[in-house]
Structures are given as C-alpha cells and as structure tokens.
Amino acid sequence: MTDASLTGPLDPRAFDKPRILLAGAVDYAMYDRFRDQLSQAPSTGLTVVELSTLGGDPEVARMMGEDVRFHSDVNPGRRLVFLGKAAIYSAGATFMSFFAVENRYLTRGTRVMIHERKMDKQLQITGPLTTCIASVKAMLNELEHSIVIQNEGFENLVRGSAVTMDEVLRRAPQDWYIEAQEAKTLGLIADVL
C-alpha cells in the first residue's frame, strides 16, 4: 500500500476488492455485518466500504457513521472510503455524510436521495390537564430534536460542497434525487467510477 492511496484521488483499480460490502435495508442486521467486516479489515491502508440501499433506520446509519469517524480518528494510517452503488437513498445518504468529500465515490448512474426524516405517530391526549401538557411538550421536544439531528446530517453531507443548507432544506421535503455526475458537479463526492 502506497502513501498515495492514503490521500488524494483514487484510481478505479483501488475499488477492485472492497473490504466491506453492504446491500439492503439500513438496519441492525446491516450494522452487525458492517461491524464484523470492519473488525476484519486491516487497520492501516485503504478500506473501501461499498453500499447500495433504498434506505432504512437513520439512527443505525448514524451509528455506522460514528464508527467510521472513530476508526478514522484512531487509525490515521487507515483511509476509509465510501463507494455508493446504484441507490444511496435516505439513511444511505446519512451514512455517506460521515465520510469526507474526498473519500466519497459513486458508480455511474447511482442516485443519491435526500429527504427529511419522517414520523408516523399519533398523540392521544387523555387524563389530567397537566399530564396532557407534558405529553404534548414531550412530542414537541422529540420533533425539535429530530430536526436538529436531521440538519446535522445535512450539514455533514454538504460541508465542502457547492450545496447550501438552504438548498437542502428547500429540496429535501420533496425527496431530492441527485444522479452521480450531478453529485460530482455539486462537490458532494470526489468522483464517479
């Protein structure tokens, strides 16, 4: 492994044998597969993480992303690189946001889909009035903090790119699909393979 593979643009041959292969829903089963493969990957040199997903649990994506961040900090001799294939939707985009732009790659024709987090809950208000107020405030707190977490992910995704937070916040409610070449033009990824 040359020092050149630890910095700068990567040649397509660097992606020949990804060490971590993930496909399907971003869920706890994927997290287990990710952790197993990460623990078996070398602690130095290039480690390619290949993903294709239609989405899933954003909190699992954040856990996987925190592992990427942590291992990158702990092992400066290791370069973790993201390779998105076919579809990087929703939670997949959240996971991708934990990789620095220079470590994000997509295959030709891949689509990245960015959207707001969704909630499906009913709030039933019954009982003493003070208890009702507490239930409403708890739901409001959950919504407000979920928005903060969502926006932190958006900020990570667009950091260092030509995309502004205003644009993400404007486009995300309608599911924003970005084709690989457009993602490169916008500076969201390093290159298209």
Side-chain angles (χ1 to χ4, degrees):
M1 182 62 55
T2 65
D3 289 338
S5 68
L6 293 178
T7 61
L10 294 170
D11 183 279
R13 291 173 292 198
F15 298 88
D16 185 36
K17 293 181 181 166
R19 300 296 251 158
I20 300 173
L21 297 166
L22 304 169
V26 177
D27 58 14
Y28 286 101
M30 178 181 279
Y31 183 62
D32 288 341
R33 291 191 309 274
F34 170 73
R35 292 284 300 190
D36 287 345
Q37 293 176 61
L38 181 63
S39 70
Q40 294 173 24
S43 61
T44 60
L46 181 67
T47 298
V48 175
V49 181
E50 181 182 294
L51 175 67
S52 182
T53 184
L54 297 178
D57 187 332
E59 294 306 318
V60 172
R62 288 180 64 227
M63 289 187 332
M64 290 168 42
E66 284 296 336
D67 286 340
V68 166
R69 183 195 57 74
F70 175 77
H71 285 274
S72 295
D73 289 348
V74 169
N75 299 316
R78 172 195 260 179
R79 181 177 181 187
L80 292 163
V81 175
F82 180 88
L83 176 61
K85 228 175 171 180
I88 303 300
Y89 292 179
S90 183
T94 298
F95 179 54
M96 184 176 84
S97 76
F98 280 86
F99 292 80
V101 171
E102 62 270 14
N103 291 328
R104 297 179 195 162
Y105 291 77
L106 298 175
T107 60
R108 282 183 296 227
T110 295
R111 300 299 192 274
V112 175
M113 191 267 284
I114 302 166
H115 70 77
E116 287 190 344
R117 287 183 173 209
K118 301 197 181 344
M119 180 179 277
D120 183 11
K121 282 192 172 184
Q122 291 185 1
L123 177 60
Q124 178 124 6
I125 301 174
T126 59
L129 295 179
T130 55
T131 303
C132 294
I133 289 172
S135 297
V136 171
K137 284 184 178 180
M139 177 65 76
L140 181 59
N141 284 336
E142 182 178 357
L143 284 167
E144 289 173 342
H145 286 278
S146 293
I147 290 168
V148 168
I149 292 168
Q150 164 193 274
N151 291 349
E152 287 171 358
F154 289 162
E155 287 170 357
N156 286 340
L157 185 65
V158 303
R159 186 174 293 116
S161 77
V163 179
T164 66
M165 271 300 287
D166 287 341
E167 184 173 12
V168 174
L169 294 175
R170 180 177 53 81
R171 298 185 77 169
Q174 292 86 35
D175 296 354
W176 184 17
Y177 289 84
I178 306 169
E179 190 274 334
Q181 199 58 50
E182 181 185 6
K184 180 181 177 182
T185 301
L186 292 171
L188 292 170
I189 62 169
D191 208 353
V192 177
L193 304 177

